[in-house]
Amino acid sequence: MASHIADELAGMDVSRGELYEQNSWKPLFEKLRAEEPVHYCSDSIFGPYWSITCYDDIVSVEGQPEVFSSSWEHGGIVLFDMQDTNVQLRMFIAMDNPEHAEKRKTVAPALAPSEIQKLAAPLRKRTAELLDSLPENEAFDWTSTVSIPLTTAMIATLFDFPWEERHKLPVWSDWAAKIDIGPNPELNAEREGHVFEMAAAFKKIFDERKAAPPKGDLLSMMAHSEAMGDMDEQRFIGAIALLLVGGNDTTRNSMSGLIDFINRHPDQWKMVKADSTLATTAATETIRLQTPICHMRRTAVADVELNGKQIKKGDKLALWYNSGNRDETVFPDGDKWDVTRENSRRHLSFGYGIHRCLGARLAELQLQVLIEEMVKRNMDVKLEGAPERIPSCFTHGFHKMLVKASKS
Ligand code: HEM
């Protein structure tokens, strides 16, 4: 490798929040994929870490959970080490087998395709009503007017959470997901306050459901299960936060990402409007390109070689899904929102292997229904200026997105 390239790569830290706020991360990952797909960053606010940037290497790491651990005991699933906070979020996404498998089995039935299908009709009704209520030719924030209300309503339905209190869910979810505040003690204390408030509210409902006969919502299923009916405080907080963050921020940012892509690729949106059967691929393409969770982290529990690099026991690795989803060897013209892309569903936004997202089908359905209902209304949504992006290498999305909508 030429020495100037080596120097440039040596100092590269792709975990910096401003890269995501300014949407300037893509060329850095392109360089890493081309020059050094498994790359060591020796200094960042999260400490040293490896970047895994190509599709096959990410799949390889996720395929060896016995070597690359997800466990909170080793620091967990994000670059920020979970041991460094009082809210460690001992969720089953941050556990290895066998405990992970036991808990996953409890939650999985509530998110099975047959259950998701039951949610489809009310979801379509809610989406249609919301789209019909939008102002026309007047600027509004798509994030708070469309993405947040739709995803919050879905999560409240899944938990059978008190409907009139549902506005609290995105606030808790946003705070639980803020991992990039890292070592800032004041922000960490504020985060802990919100997370403990969330835990107390959910514990009250959980205990009520446990005392009542079982029913089909997620909380009742957990309360009556052997694996999750009697969790310690950190595990309880983790389980709730996982389902909240998992279902909220991710789907919300896909719904906002959709508008970004429609504006960048108007020819593709025209195709979807002309043929609504393209809504399915438009939904998976949106999830691929948005990559609502930029990275998951693993920790090596043994010395191991990966694509020519020596990883040491205890090293942490960031699996950059946002980069793997643009790997040209798998997705030609990878940065294009291509609503006819044949292998769009191979994307890594839902991860891979034993931890692959349990809510994938639900997320796809929500997005697909939104697209179909927009098509029915022949809707165009135009960005009014640049959207405000979140300064995070974990939650990849938008604070605010001013738009004008028109229908016919
Ligand atoms: C576009 C939306 C979504 C994206 C991009 C997403 C992404 C992810 C990712 C990256 C993982 C970790 C995969 C891995 O480590 O290999 C995950 C796991 C998980 N997701 Fe999602 N998710 C989404 C929606 C949802 C929804 C709607 C729910 C449920 C309400 C959900 C629940 C979960 C759960 C429970 C896990 C843990 C699975 C395990 O550890 O076995 N997700 N998701």
Side-chain angles (χ1 to χ4, degrees), residues 202-249:
F202 271 95
K203 187 71 170 71
K204 189 166 166 281
I205 310 171
F206 185 88
D207 289 343
E208 286 164 10
R209 302 268 157 96
K210 199 169 172 175
K215 32 184 214 99
D217 67 88
L218 262 173
L219 274 180
S220 178
M221 283 171 93
M222 284 159 63
H224 287 277
S225 76
E226 209 172 297
M228 298 179 101
D230 200 15
M231 289 178 279
D232 63 35
E233 189 190 33
Q234 289 290 343
R235 281 180 170 74
F236 181 78
I237 297 177
I240 300 298
L242 169 57
L243 291 159
L244 257 191
V245 177
N248 241 320
D249 303 33

